[in-house]
Amino acid sequence: LDNILIASADNVSFNSVTLDGSLTQNSGSGATTFDGAVNVGNEVNISTDTIDINSSITAVNQVILNADKLVKIGADITTTDENIEISGNILRDNKDDVTLSTGAGSGDIIINNTINADSDTRNLSLNSAAGEVQINGAIGDAQKLNKLTITTGQELFIDSAEKVNELIVKTLNDNGADITIDSDNNDVGTINLQARTADDSSNADGDITYKDSNGVVVASINTTALAKLIAGDDITQSGAINADTLEVKTVNNSGADITLNHADNSVNKIKFEAKTTSDTNSDGDIDYTNNKSMTLTEISTAGDVDVKVTSGDLTVVSVNANNADLTAENSILDDDAFAKCTSEPY
């Protein structure tokens, strides 16, 4: 067959479809269900009330899914360098691991509404290696995803709330592509954020900004530019941070700690703050380790500070803390720090 065109229908079920051309449904008032694999040589374009995907959809050109109510995604969707666009609230169901991929080319992935799951074991990967990923609705408001993985060749900007157990984001661009995920309502357990070159061989010059309403664990941060973290509770890490400048802030009236003491942390400059909601210093302890020479541009807290440089020098600009313990393998260079300290810094 070349094409299938459905002008209008109540309920439609596809058990298995292979076409040289396109699969199109212009409108519908019920559910369109995919229970068998769909492979088309052109595009898939479905508009109806509910779309239920239980088997894979593969198209050479674009896939457009437009549901008035719900898009249930329980299987992979793949194009060859062409867009995937989904309108309608998404429910991740059917199986744990699902990937939407536009391949290695410039196809975009566009999610226009919310994403939720039917259980906390569901994962979703969005892979647009040279294209853009746009997420225009909240994630996990009704039920968190277990893991959300995003790979994109362009800048990623998400200002709607993300609620997932694990968030992995990688931009692939030789000029560097920024990652900005800055909703006040984000609630993620673990983050892995990386700005990399197009072939994923080295870190790239993309700024990384992440904000969380609660505490967060850093599994990995990689960039040659700025990495900025803001959280409403403790910030800890399970893997290393690589960046030019690392800015970290906790905002909690009772004090929230910053504990980033992984032996392989490697940055050039740090700025750490433990603040209250009124932006005064809070009783948050700060513990940081770096594996090369660096500049401590500012630390502000009413708690205690422990900063270690395990190889090279530490240049200190400003420390405001209850107590500060600063150590370096070589020298500690004082850049008028004493005049700006409320404690003996070393």
Side-chain angles (χ1 to χ4, degrees), residues 31-46:
T32 296
T33 303
F34 295 85
D35 285 329
V38 171
N39 291 274
V40 302
N42 194 355
E43 70 174 30
V44 174
N45 191 332
I46 305 294

Side-chain angles (χ1 to χ4, degrees), residues 36 40 57 59 94 117-118 120 132 165 201 203 206 222 232 240 259 289 297:
V40 302
I57 296 175
N94 189 49
D118 67 345
D120 61 6
E132 184 178 1
N165 292 326
S201 64
N203 295 336
N222 283 306
T259 307
T289 298
T297 59

Side-chain angles (χ1 to χ4, degrees), residues 306-322:
D306 186 357
V307 174
K308 301 181 184 70
V309 172
T310 58
S311 178
D313 301 326
L314 172 61
T315 300
V316 181
V317 178
S318 177
V319 178
N320 289 277
N322 179 46

Side-chain angles (χ1 to χ4, degrees), residues 42 44 57-65 75-86 98-111 124-134 149-154 170 172:
N42 194 355
V44 174
I57 296 175
T58 303
V60 172
N61 292 320
Q62 66 182 355
V63 172
I64 299 176
L65 304 176
D76 298 344
I77 301 173
T78 306
T79 68
T80 304
D81 308 334
E82 296 291 341
N83 292 355
I84 297 172
E85 182 168 3
I86 301 174
V98 164
T99 298
L100 310 187
S101 176
T102 61
S106 58
D108 299 333
I109 297 176
I110 304 164
I111 309 295
L124 178 63
S125 295
L126 306 177
N127 179 23
S128 178
E132 184 178 1
V133 173
Q134 299 177 26
T149 303
I150 301 172
T151 304
T152 174
Q154 307 298 323
K170 183 183 290 185
L172 301 173

Side-chain angles (χ1 to χ4, degrees), residues 109 111 113 115 124 126 132-140 148-152 154-164 167-171 178-188 193 209-212:
I109 297 176
I111 309 295
N113 298 93
I115 303 174
L124 178 63
L126 306 177
E132 184 178 1
V133 173
Q134 299 177 26
I135 298 176
N136 301 315
I139 301 172
L148 175 64
T149 303
I150 301 172
T151 304
T152 174
Q154 307 298 323
E155 294 182 354
L156 179 71
F157 176 75
I158 303 175
D159 61 358
S160 53
E162 292 198 42
K163 297 179 180 180
V164 300
L167 175 64
I168 301 172
V169 177
K170 183 183 290 185
T171 58
D178 297 345
I179 299 169
T180 305
I181 303 170
D182 62 356
S183 169
D184 291 336
N185 297 313
N186 286 333
D187 184 9
V188 175
L193 308 176
T209 301
Y210 178 77
K211 189 173 187 179
D212 201 286

Side-chain angles (χ1 to χ4, degrees), residues 52-346:
D52 190 358
I53 301 168
N54 300 310
S55 292
S56 63
I57 296 175
T58 303
V60 172
N61 292 320
Q62 66 182 355
V63 172
I64 299 176
L65 304 176
N66 184 9
D68 291 335
K69 292 182 179 178
L70 198 63
V71 182
K72 298 180 180 180
I73 299 182
D76 298 344
I77 301 173
T78 306
T79 68
T80 304
D81 308 334
E82 296 291 341
N83 292 355
I84 297 172
E85 182 168 3
I86 301 174
S87 299
N89 293 326
I90 291 174
L91 179 68
R92 267 290 294 111
D93 68 350
N94 189 49
K95 67 175 186 175
D96 284 347
D97 295 318
V98 164
T99 298
L100 310 187
S101 176
T102 61
S106 58
D108 299 333
I109 297 176
I110 304 164
I111 309 295
N112 287 316
N113 298 93
T114 63
I115 303 174
N116 285 287
D118 67 345
S119 80
D120 61 6
T121 64
R122 305 304 192 196
N123 305 318
L124 178 63
S125 295
L126 306 177
N127 179 23
S128 178
E132 184 178 1
V133 173
Q134 299 177 26
I135 298 176
N136 301 315
I139 301 172
D141 265 353
Q143 171 63 63
K144 280 186 176 183
L145 295 176
N146 178 51
K147 180 166 64 176
L148 175 64
T149 303
I150 301 172
T151 304
T152 174
Q154 307 298 323
E155 294 182 354
L156 179 71
F157 176 75
I158 303 175
D159 61 358
S160 53
E162 292 198 42
K163 297 179 180 180
V164 300
N165 292 326
E166 182 179 0
L167 175 64
I168 301 172
V169 177
K170 183 183 290 185
T171 58
L172 301 173
N173 192 304
D174 287 338
N175 295 317
D178 297 345
I179 299 169
T180 305
I181 303 170
D182 62 356
S183 169
D184 291 336
N185 297 313
N186 286 333
D187 184 9
V188 175
T190 302
I191 58 171
N192 181 333
L193 308 176
Q194 303 188 49
R196 303 280 286 174
T197 55
D199 63 0
D200 199 16
S201 64
S202 59
N203 295 336
D205 188 30
D207 289 342
I208 294 173
T209 301
Y210 178 77
K211 189 173 187 179
D212 201 286
S213 60
N214 295 301
V216 68
V217 178
V218 177
S220 179
I221 289 178
N222 283 306
T223 180
T224 62
L226 169 69
K228 184 175 182 179
L229 306 175
I230 302 171
D233 212 331
D234 297 343
I235 298 176
T236 61
Q237 69 182 142
S238 60
I241 297 172
N242 293 278
D244 175 50
T245 300
L246 176 61
E247 296 184 0
V248 182
K249 183 177 184 179
T250 58
V251 181
N252 189 302
N253 289 334
S254 299
D257 298 340
I258 299 169
T259 307
L260 302 173
N261 53 14
H262 195 282
D264 294 327
N265 288 336
S266 184
V267 307
N268 295 318
K269 297 182 287 291
I270 64 169
K271 176 183 177 181
F272 289 174
E273 301 173 279
K275 295 289 188 177
T276 66
T277 54
S278 58
D279 207 35
T280 59
N281 288 345
S282 70
D283 188 26
D285 293 337
I286 294 172
D287 185 357
Y288 180 73
T289 298
N290 206 61
N291 70 1
K292 66 178 183 180
S293 295
M294 72 168 192
T295 298
L296 189 167
T297 59
E298 179 184 345
I299 285 182
S300 296
T301 181
D304 296 333
V305 171
D306 186 357
V307 174
K308 301 181 184 70
V309 172
T310 58
S311 178
D313 301 326
L314 172 61
T315 300
V316 181
V317 178
S318 177
V319 178
N320 289 277
N322 179 46
N323 291 292
D325 184 6
L326 311 182
T327 60
E329 182 198 34
N330 293 338
S331 300
I332 296 179
L333 307 176
D334 179 9
D335 187 8
D336 296 327
F338 281 123
K340 303 170 186 176
C341 287
T342 58
S343 66
E344 291 295 320
Y346 47 84

